[in-house]
Amino acid sequence: MPQAKLLINNGWKSVGSSFNSLPGIVGSASFEKINTKDKYCSFSGSVLVNYSNGSFEVEIEAQFFDKFLSGGKPGSQKDADCLKYYQETMKEFIPLITEYLSGKPAVRENLNEMLDKAANLTVEGKSLDALKMYNKVLATDPDNSLALFNKAQILFSLKKYTETLNVILRAEKRKDISDFDISTYKSLKIQVLILTKQNDRAIAEINKALQYAESITPEKAFETDEDDNGEPFLKPSEKTGLLLKCVGYLQMLNRNREALIALKKYEALIPEQNKNFSICYSTTIAS
């Protein structure tokens, strides 16, 4: 039986495994979890999988717990404490080994490998190959946030605007979508509409983006970061950055009055000691 990364990543140590294909298929693996407070109480558990005549039989057991028993009961308080540790650890071991045997971790590991490969293909300039890889990921995991995000970016770069919008609409339906993804998708959607000369729809989406971005509170509008020289500067949050992008999109559509109003809302979020940038930007719009 292959080593279970799922257990190893959760602090378990693989201490042995075996596999035999005759006459039936039998695999076994043993794991140990060290008790950092008392190594004498460290837990050992094993799983035995037997496949025969089209069915699986699985045995999960705790090993060596009998050393804490004397005449069928704990011989001391320490032995009683160790048995309690075994019981608690067994509760952790069973769902982990059950999930491992279900194959879900293997699926996740395979998806991660495909995502890594797709990212490398993108870096190498092989966008179409990367797109195929993201499609494979989404065939298995339709709501994979990274695959949806990167697929939308690639389609946009390939000027496949209708497909880009379809992916964005699909991604926006996810419940666990982050502020970064929301802001990026809104920005990308507006760019697609402007590039395809759907100006009315673009204005409508800009207004939705502004409504979303304006929900930011002043104390969360910026965060401190450092430049390449180690000098601190204020970086806009995702919502604040979207607000500023909308200023630019409104300018592209010759809606300078609305752009100036949006800019003033952005300026109001900037701390007093950092107002110089906003004044410069305002002058550019006014001219």
Side-chain angles (χ1 to χ4, degrees):
M1 181 181 294
Q3 289 190 346
K5 290 184 180 179
L6 176 68
L7 282 98
I8 295 171
N9 291 341
N10 280 275
W12 292 78
K13 179 183 178 183
S14 174
V15 292
S17 63
S18 65
F19 180 82
N20 190 334
S21 60
L22 293 173
I25 299 176
V26 179
S28 67
S30 298
F31 298 90
E32 183 179 59
K33 189 155 192 177
I34 303 298
N35 185 336
T36 55
K37 295 181 179 179
D38 186 351
K39 291 187 178 180
Y40 175 73
C41 294
S42 295
F43 178 89
S44 293
S46 66
V47 56
L48 176 69
V49 180
N50 188 343
Y51 178 78
S52 180
N53 297 323
S55 63
F56 282 97
E57 291 183 1
V58 180
E59 294 181 15
I60 301 174
E61 67 175 16
Q63 298 175 326
F64 312 130
F65 69 91
D66 54 343
K67 69 180 180 181
F68 308 124
L69 299 174
S70 177
K73 62 181 181 179
S76 65
Q77 183 59 47
K78 181 177 181 179
D79 285 345
D81 291 341
C82 288
L83 281 173
K84 182 179 179 182
Y85 175 78
Y86 253 60
Q87 290 175 331
E88 292 173 349
T89 311
M90 191 65 172
K91 290 178 182 178
E92 176 187 343
F93 181 64
I94 290 176
L96 282 173
I97 201 66
T98 301
E99 185 178 355
Y100 169 65
L101 292 173
S102 71
K104 292 180 181 178
V107 171
R108 283 201 300 269
E109 289 168 14
N110 188 42
L111 289 176
N112 288 337
E113 289 177 4
M114 287 194 287
L115 288 169
D116 288 342
K117 185 174 182 180
N120 291 332
L121 288 168
T122 303
V123 171
E124 294 169 6
K126 300 176 181 178
S127 298
L128 292 177
D129 292 333
L131 192 59
K132 292 178 182 178
M133 193 61 61
Y134 287 126
N135 285 335
K136 286 184 179 180
V137 172
L138 293 169
T140 302
D141 182 7
D143 293 326
N144 189 285
S145 59
L146 185 57
L148 286 169
F149 185 87
N150 290 339
K151 179 178 179 178
Q153 297 283 350
I154 290 176
L155 289 171
F156 180 78
S157 70
L158 296 173
K159 300 182 180 181
K160 295 180 179 291
Y161 298 132
T162 300
E163 293 178 52
T164 302
L165 286 177
N166 289 338
V167 174
I168 291 173
L169 293 173
R170 176 177 167 186
E172 287 181 326
K173 293 178 181 178
R174 291 173 39 246
K175 294 181 180 179
D176 59 342
I177 188 167
S178 66
D179 281 345
F180 175 80
D181 284 3
I182 291 173
S183 299
T184 302
Y185 286 135
K186 287 183 179 297
S187 178
L188 204 59
K189 190 190 301 183
I190 293 167
Q191 292 179 64
V192 167
L193 294 172
I194 292 175
L195 288 168
T196 54
K197 302 188 184 304
Q198 300 180 63
N199 293 353
D200 289 342
R201 286 186 63 189
I203 291 294
E205 290 299 331
I206 290 172
N207 289 332
K208 290 179 184 178
L210 286 171
Q211 186 176 12
Y212 167 76
E214 289 167 9
S215 66
I216 190 72
T217 55
E219 61 271 15
K220 294 183 179 180
F222 292 86
E223 57 187 35
T224 303
D225 204 346
E226 291 185 353
D227 61 21
D228 294 338
N229 297 319
E231 295 295 327
F233 71 97
L234 287 182
K235 182 175 71 174
S237 70
E238 302 304 336
K239 288 185 177 181
T240 311
L242 178 61
L243 179 56
L244 188 58
K245 287 178 182 177
C246 286
V247 173
Y249 298 143
L250 287 166
Q251 283 187 283
M252 293 171 67
L253 295 168
N254 296 317
R255 307 291 284 258
N256 289 335
R257 181 175 175 277
E258 292 97 321
L260 193 56
I261 292 172
L263 178 63
K264 289 186 179 300
K265 292 178 179 178
Y266 174 83
E267 288 178 335
L269 296 171
I270 302 175
E272 287 298 325
Q273 64 269 28
N274 295 84
K275 290 288 187 181
N276 289 338
F277 171 75
S278 64
I279 293 172
C280 176
Y281 202 101
S282 177
T283 302
T284 301
I285 291 181
S287 62

